[in-house]
Amino acid sequence: MDVPEGFDPGLILALNLAGTFVFGLSGGLAGVRARLDLVGVVVLAAVVGLAGGIIRDVLIGTSPATFRDWRYLAAAAAAGLVCFFAGRLLERAERSVMVFDALGLALFAVTGATKALRFGLGPVQAVLLGAITGIGGGMLRDVLLRQVPTVLREGLYAIPALLGAAVLVIAQQAGSTNPVFPVLGASVCAAVRLFALRYGVDAPTPPHSPPPTKEPSR
Amino acid sequence: MDVPEGFDPGLILALNLAGTFVFGLSGGLAGVRARLDLVGVVVLAAVVGLAGGIIRDVLIGTSPATFRDWRYLAAAAAAGLVCFFAGRLLERAERSVMVFDALGLALFAVTGATKALRFGLGPVQAVLLGAITGIGGGMLRDVLLRQVPTVLREGLYAIPALLGAAVLVIAQQAGSTNPVFPVLGASVCAAVRLFALRYGVDAPTPPHSPPPTKEPSR
Amino acid sequence: MDVPEGFDPGLILALNLAGTFVFGLSGGLAGVRARLDLVGVVVLAAVVGLAGGIIRDVLIGTSPATFRDWRYLAAAAAAGLVCFFAGRLLERAERSVMVFDALGLALFAVTGATKALRFGLGPVQAVLLGAITGIGGGMLRDVLLRQVPTVLREGLYAIPALLGAAVLVIAQQAGSTNPVFPVLGASVCAAVRLFALRYGVDAPTPPHSPPPTKEPSR
């Protein structure tokens, strides 16, 4: 490839597989909670784990890597099986779906932005595409379980993804391919997201609207 | 490109950006009404403004133009911000979501059909793809807000889009690249859609079904 | 094409068109039941009939065949019209949506796996992609009508699709291009699916969960 390669491909692959696995956990746990059966849990884990990367590749205009590389499929399926058999344990950790979701968001925001840069997209587009990669899986999870997507309801979901992707894009634009930056970007994203979850921070609501309700459309 | 170019690219670009903006308004206003916060409103505006064109490009089999061209991103984001800060004003105009939606439908039907012809698809396919470009954004808006898509519930939604696209495809097939035809096609589509909205005209219901209800699946 | 061709293209085309038509019937009937109007019924038939193949082609990374080939469009539209005008008749056959859905699942599982092999994907990926081709249409139908997708709720939906695709992939890997194998694969898939429907067989539920309910999230 004749475009600048950017960060260590091995690190990016590892982050991508980790993102697939934790998003898979988030999807699988949501499936266990909705009392889906074995197949439903694994399918939902796979959809959530793989959708972000597929949407990213379609938007970049490249052939989705997922189905050529068995490791992504294995990571997503493993997450589904873990949820099915150990779901009770994972559930004890309160709000565990949200925690895994935050980690997946962080990892995919960083790897999505990296891939966008590698395919020659501009920095603003790369930040947006990073956020979309992170948001896609959870959005599809919510649509399939018939909920208004988290990203539309809670302000500090897209914003941490944009921040995490921005850290990486700025570093890359400044010429640095130090592997600390993808890790830093992912950490910033996860930290902001978890902080917002813990303390209930939200984005502003329209100036003229009545007091916000948490789940407005129910 | 060695296929016939068709209409003035500048006009098509202008129509496309206008379509992105008005569909963005339709999405953003729907978000304000569902009491989403700032990020939710902007994200929904962007999804509705950009989805039609992305679906069109994926179905044609070309790389989506959206993420290479910042102007689309800017148009969609601007629409979201307008809705967030001036939503109350826009809402006063009754059924404004529907009006903006009709304009977006008209603009995208025409530009979608034009792009399909430029990529060598047949006239029937171009008409269908124009309609799909117009329908895609609103369909996704309704799915994300957990409503049965308008296009499935109201007959005169797909039909005006098909009509508008057909005007353009027939003109192009007849060899005319006069810029009046995209404008005429969009006007026909918008006029039929708004007429149907105003007077409650619907497509026929199945011969054997009970008296139609406006929102059957609620 | 310099990759092994596999099975008779004419047979695969016939199976694909049949799959499009029966999935179209499944979508159109679901539309009639939801009391959609003419356009809604045809659009839903087209979406369900065409979505599986489009998702397959996007995941393979090739341009979707659907919009280049009018026969798919005609098959899907014909299914919609049949449902609109003869819906009452089709409905008398109890659970007819489910039966057509099982046939579509079977046909698309086989043709999806075949196409994946032809584009050089590995055998495991081909089996998965066959199942996804079969599942995609029904999944979208359920999302558009605001139901949790069948595949997530009922275990023996994805499994028959995987079985049917596996029959074909194993035969092809063993070097046989005998046209009996796609037919056998589709038959296995349809038989297992219909058997599960008839006798209410389900995939196992999580070990720790309360007694399963049929539609958990309602």
Side-chain angles (χ1 to χ4, degrees), chain C residues 64-88:
Chain C
T66 315
F67 278 86
R68 306 270 167 182
D69 188 337
W70 63 271
R71 291 171 294 195
Y72 290 98
L73 301 173
L81 292 174
V82 166
C83 290
F84 185 76
F85 290 109
R88 184 182 266 170

Side-chain angles (χ1 to χ4, degrees), chain A:
Chain A
M1 207 175 300
D2 52 356
V3 285
E5 258 302 320
F7 305 105
D8 175 24
L11 176 66
I12 295 297
L13 175 67
L15 291 177
N16 251 327
L17 289 175
T20 303
F21 185 75
V22 292
F23 257 138
L25 289 180
S26 137
L29 271 186
V32 167
R33 284 184 183 179
R35 292 190 207 162
L36 304 181
D37 59 23
L38 174 57
V39 176
V41 169
V42 172
V43 168
L44 198 58
V47 166
V48 178
L50 302 175
I54 291 172
I55 294 171
R56 175 199 63 211
D57 290 348
V58 167
L59 291 178
I60 288 179
T62 180
S63 162
T66 315
F67 278 87
R68 306 271 168 181
D69 189 337
W70 63 270
R71 290 171 294 193
Y72 289 97
L73 302 172
L81 292 174
V82 165
C83 290
F84 185 77
F85 290 109
R88 184 180 266 169
L89 253 96
L90 287 170
E91 282 221 64
R92 280 213 198 118
E94 202 194 321
R95 301 198 294 184
S96 43
V97 171
M98 282 313 204
V99 171
F100 288 120
D101 193 72
L103 294 177
L105 184 72
L107 294 164
F108 275 180
V110 163
T111 59
T114 306
K115 184 155 190 178
L117 287 177
R118 219 187 307 155
F119 275 80
L121 273 72
V124 172
Q125 284 90 334
V127 170
L128 285 173
L129 210 51
I132 290 167
T133 310
I135 286 165
M139 211 155 174
L140 214 49
R141 176 196 64 214
D142 294 343
V143 166
L144 290 177
L145 296 178
R146 289 193 308 173
Q147 299 173 350
V148 173
T150 310
V151 67
L152 295 182
R153 285 188 285 119
E154 297 186 36
L156 290 189
Y157 191 82
I159 287 174
L162 292 168
L163 286 178
V167 166
L168 183 124
V169 168
I170 291 169
Q172 175 116 351
Q173 293 296 105
S176 165
T177 59
N178 191 319
V180 80
F181 287 110
V183 175
L184 178 67
S187 306
V188 166
C189 173
V192 173
R193 172 68 184 143
L194 291 172
F195 177 88
L197 269 180
R198 178 73 188 77
Y199 295 100
V201 182
D202 267 330
T205 48
H208 47 78
S209 78
T213 55
K214 213 49 188 160
E215 297 219 327
S217 64
R218 290 262 163 98

Side-chain angles (χ1 to χ4, degrees), chain B residues 64-127:
Chain B
T66 314
F67 278 87
R68 306 271 169 180
D69 189 336
W70 63 271
R71 291 171 295 193
Y72 290 97
L73 301 173
L81 292 174
V82 165
C83 291
F84 185 76
F85 289 109
R88 184 182 266 171
L89 253 97
L90 286 171
E91 282 220 66
R92 280 215 197 119
E94 203 195 320
R95 302 198 294 184
S96 43
V97 172
M98 282 312 204
V99 171
F100 288 121
D101 193 72
L103 294 177
L105 185 71
L107 294 165
F108 276 179
V110 163
T111 59
T114 305
K115 183 154 190 180
L117 287 176
R118 217 187 307 155
F119 275 81
L121 273 73
V124 172
Q125 284 90 334
V127 171

Side-chain angles (χ1 to χ4, degrees), chain B residues 19-145:
Chain B
T20 303
F21 185 74
V22 292
F23 258 139
L25 290 180
S26 137
L29 271 185
V32 168
R33 285 186 180 176
R35 294 191 205 162
L36 304 181
D37 59 23
L38 174 57
V39 175
V41 169
V42 172
V43 168
L44 198 59
V47 166
V48 178
L50 302 175
I54 291 171
I55 294 171
R56 176 199 61 211
D57 290 348
V58 167
L59 291 179
I60 288 179
T62 180
S63 161
T66 314
F67 278 87
R68 306 271 169 180
D69 189 336
W70 63 271
R71 291 171 295 193
Y72 290 97
L73 301 173
L81 292 174
V82 165
C83 291
F84 185 76
F85 289 109
R88 184 182 266 171
L89 253 97
L90 286 171
E91 282 220 66
R92 280 215 197 119
E94 203 195 320
R95 302 198 294 184
S96 43
V97 172
M98 282 312 204
V99 171
F100 288 121
D101 193 72
L103 294 177
L105 185 71
L107 294 165
F108 276 179
V110 163
T111 59
T114 305
K115 183 154 190 180
L117 287 176
R118 217 187 307 155
F119 275 81
L121 273 73
V124 172
Q125 284 90 334
V127 171
L128 286 173
L129 210 51
I132 290 167
T133 310
I135 288 166
M139 211 156 175
L140 214 49
R141 176 197 64 215
D142 294 343
V143 166
L144 291 177
L145 295 177

